[in-house]
Amino acid sequence: MTRVRKLHIKSYGCQMNVYDANRMADTLAPIGFVETGMADQADLIILNTCHIREKAAEKVYSELGRMRKIKESAALEERRVVVAVAGCVAQAEGEEIIRRAPVVDLVFGPQNYHRLPDLLNEASRAGKVVDTEFPLEDKFEHLAPPSRRAIQARGVSAFVTVQEGCDKFCTFCVVPYTRGAEISRPVARIVTEVERLADGGVREVTLIGQNVNAYHGEGPDGSPWTLGLLLHRLADVSGIARLRYTTSHPRDVDDALIAAHRDLPALMPQLHLPVQSGSDRILAAMNRRHTRADYLRAIGRFRAARADMAFSADFIVGFPGETEEDFRATLALLDEVGYAGAYSFKYSPRPGTPAAEMAEQVPEPIKGERLARLQAAIDIHQADFNAQCVGRKLDVLLERPGRHPGQLVGRSPYLQPVQVVAPAGLIGEITTVTVTGTGANSLFGTLGPAMPDHGSMMQTAVGV
Ligand code: SAH
Ligand code: SF4
Ligand code: F3S
């Protein structure tokens, strides 16, 4: 019998790291690893890291300080703890991590985790192991569909990686270096995975990729399929009620994707479409390869196909050379699109990227000031969007118990969390909820259609 060992994985960064962490656990389960939430009880600790901004990367080293203490106390009890660093910092820094943090036994990149059992063996024999080679042969070996057993533990909403890597080379970004060249998983593997998820009770699937709408995986007929085609195929999988995809690039919006939004009721009317800046001068310096007008045209096409589309985006402030005028163009774009929400970041120079070498780096205080102004503007748009939902009936996929007894939390079509008093038996169901109010980041609602005369029958969730 295999000895039970405990595994603790901590993920940073994007959804793909969350997905990969699940797959690492799947890979290790057959050799006796069970997951624990407690790092100090684990025999194997994996930090699944993100390199996107300096802060994200530095977090890893402070966390490794904590791991050193855990490893030392375990050693006093003659228990060996293996510490591994995975993800994008692993890919970017490789053995440098072990030099800087000797507590680390194993470093492996985002496309190497299918080899984990062998790497662990090697680490126990050889001491330190680094594996950051991109696979040359079966590029999807790490993305084989998970077993049915592995799927049982998932909730009602799941991520599925359909493409990985990026060929865009925006001048600020590390992803093309840490995730490698753009590759798309074949349709058949994705369909198998989604069917298994549906059998396991999953109702909503979010297709993920660093550049998801550049998807061009091999279809059953041998020709490359677009994301639009793939979405059509997945909408036919029985049990799957909702489809989403993220993250998209404005350049890769094609007719098939627009048609999917027009034709597929299961495809949710919400899209995360990063733009980074509203200034054409900055967009060019970023090598985004689209203009402000191109971006607005793409937004218009989605809205023409589906009038209630809600948009979110990513923005960077303080990119090298950004003037007050450029920044105002970003604020103006925000108003022009009317986003339902957005993420904004201070530009962070990343080693090895062209923008890090550019003259005219923007001083930190100006970045801070612009970020505060942008975030305030985003908050107003988000609050407006949420306020417009009050009084409306929205279909909500109920996902899990809420913070208060008797309460469930679900998602609206526009991805807003919705808190509602409802029986636990409704988890996994899509129900009509009348929105009665808004909180800082969520909506409150009551089950069923609006009943002004009987409003007290189902109380609004309060106090969250
Ligand atoms: N297409 C990718 C983008 C990943 S990075 C995806 O799958 O989401 C997410 C966001 O981080 C980017 O859209 C950008 O806004 C931000 N970002 C990337 N590099 C950055 C940097 N050097 N400094 C600040 N923000 C950055
Ligand atoms: Fe990075 Fe640009 Fe690729 Fe997105 S499109 S992952 S921002 S290089
Ligand atoms: Fe971070 Fe890598 Fe994702 S750098 S954002 S974990 S692709």
Side-chain angles (χ1 to χ4, degrees):
M1 234 182 74
T2 42
R3 186 168 66 89
V4 173
R5 286 174 290 177
K6 290 192 176 153
L7 162 69
H8 178 78
I9 310 183
K10 189 161 179 184
S11 274
Y12 305 82
C14 61
Q15 292 99 333
M16 198 171 287
N17 266 7
V18 177
Y19 178 87
D20 289 350
N22 282 330
R23 307 307 303 276
M24 288 175 204
D26 296 350
T27 308
L28 292 167
I31 57 165
F33 278 100
V34 292
E35 280 192 87
T36 170
M38 291 197 286
D40 56 358
Q41 295 186 0
D43 302 288
L44 169 60
I45 298 171
I46 302 176
L47 301 185
N48 195 21
T49 62
C50 174
H51 200 244
I52 201 81
R53 286 169 289 273
E54 191 181 352
K55 247 195 213 151
E58 281 307 311
K59 226 185 265 171
V60 179
Y61 288 99
S62 56
E63 191 66 11
L64 284 171
R66 223 164 66 82
M67 297 309 140
R68 186 167 56 86
K69 294 204 183 84
I70 289 176
K71 195 167 171 167
E72 283 166 2
S73 359
L76 295 177
E77 300 165 14
E78 297 191 7
R79 194 164 61 82
R80 179 163 189 248
V81 178
V82 174
V83 175
V85 175
C88 289
V89 176
Q91 189 64 45
E93 296 185 8
E95 57 193 31
E96 177 60 27
I97 296 174
I98 296 178
R99 260 197 294 278
R100 212 175 136 184
V103 63
V104 175
D105 304 289
L106 173 59
V107 175
F108 60 96
Q111 292 182 27
N112 308 91
Y113 55 77
H114 56 289
R115 291 205 280 266
L116 254 173
D118 290 342
L119 294 173
L120 284 174
N121 276 338
E122 233 178 285
S124 69
R125 272 199 322 271
K128 308 277 175 190
V129 173
V130 177
D131 183 4
T132 53
E133 292 298 312
F134 286 130
L136 291 174
E137 306 229 312
D138 183 350
K139 293 187 165 59
F140 307 104
E141 216 178 325
H142 64 302
L143 290 175
S147 69
R148 284 172 201 282
R149 211 190 72 186
I151 277 167
Q152 292 309 314
R154 309 269 161 86
V156 298
S157 180
F159 297 132
V160 171
T161 293
V162 300
Q163 99 39 265
E164 193 171 5
C166 181
D167 294 335
K168 295 282 191 296
F169 291 92
C170 299
T171 53
F172 52 81
C173 185
V174 294
V175 170
Y177 312 97
T178 61
R179 293 279 172 169
E182 204 278 307
I183 48 168
S184 294
R185 258 176 117 184
V187 171
R189 289 202 197 190
I190 297 166
V191 171
T192 304
E193 183 162 343
V194 171
E195 284 172 347
R196 284 187 189 169
L197 288 165
D199 286 349
V202 166
R203 306 295 317 279
E204 175 181 82
V205 165
T206 303
L207 307 180
I208 58 173
Q210 273 86 31
N211 237 296
V212 73
N213 59 332
Y215 178 83
H216 61 270
E218 188 188 309
D221 51 359
S223 71
W225 277 27
T226 61
L227 183 65
L229 267 178
L230 177 67
L231 286 163
H232 271 92
R233 172 67 187 85
L234 296 178
D236 287 340
V237 174
S238 125
I240 298 298
R242 288 183 162 190
L243 293 168
R244 303 179 185 276
Y245 57 93
T246 200
T247 299
S248 300
H249 192 287
R251 264 181 75 92
D252 296 318
V253 173
D254 64 6
D255 294 346
L257 191 58
I258 300 288
H261 278 278
R262 188 191 58 216
D263 300 338
L264 300 175
L267 186 54
M268 291 294 99
Q270 187 274 336
L271 183 68
H272 185 62
L273 195 62
V275 62
Q276 319 300 352
S277 170
S279 153
D280 279 339
R281 217 173 59 81
I282 296 297
L283 287 172
M286 287 176 163
N287 189 34
R288 290 288 295 178
R289 297 189 286 164
H290 64 79
T291 61
R292 176 196 179 97
D294 295 334
Y295 182 81
L296 287 169
R297 219 169 1 253
I299 296 273
R301 292 178 73 197
F302 283 108
R303 285 205 164 123
R306 180 89 203 239
D308 68 335
M309 282 293 285
F311 294 95
S312 61
D314 294 339
F315 292 94
I316 294 177
V317 299
F319 184 83
E322 186 188 70
T323 61
E324 174 65 22
E325 196 188 339
D326 293 318
F327 175 64
R328 288 205 184 143
T330 297
L331 289 176
L333 181 71
L334 202 72
D335 293 338
E336 206 161 329
V337 174
Y339 290 101
Y343 299 95
S344 51
F345 310 100
K346 280 193 259 184
Y347 169 68
S348 169
R350 307 306 295 127
T353 59
E357 307 297 317
M358 288 179 186
E360 295 187 88
Q361 296 287 328
V362 174
E364 193 56 35
I366 295 183
K367 285 188 202 172
E369 186 247 346
R370 286 182 189 161
L371 184 69
R373 282 160 69 197
L374 182 60
Q375 281 179 343
I378 290 169
D379 287 349
I380 290 172
H381 278 285
Q382 186 172 338
D384 270 1
F385 183 79
N386 288 344
Q388 281 166 27
C389 294
V390 175
R392 284 182 64 189
K393 285 173 226 159
L394 298 180
D395 285 343
V396 173
L397 171 58
L398 296 167
E399 290 185 9
R400 57 177 187 278
R403 231 191 282 166
H404 299 283
Q407 207 181 60
L408 298 182
V409 186
R411 294 270 181 179
S412 76
Y414 313 112
L415 208 57
Q416 298 141 299
V418 184
Q419 320 259 1
V420 58
V421 174
L426 286 184
I427 289 178
E429 299 292 325
I430 295 172
T431 56
T432 306
V433 169
T434 304
V435 180
T436 54
T438 64
N441 286 308
S442 56
L443 302 178
F444 303 120
T446 55
L447 278 191
M451 292 181 293
D453 300 340
H454 307 282
S456 60
M457 280 172 64
M458 287 286 182
Q459 282 297 330
T460 305
V462 285
V464 179

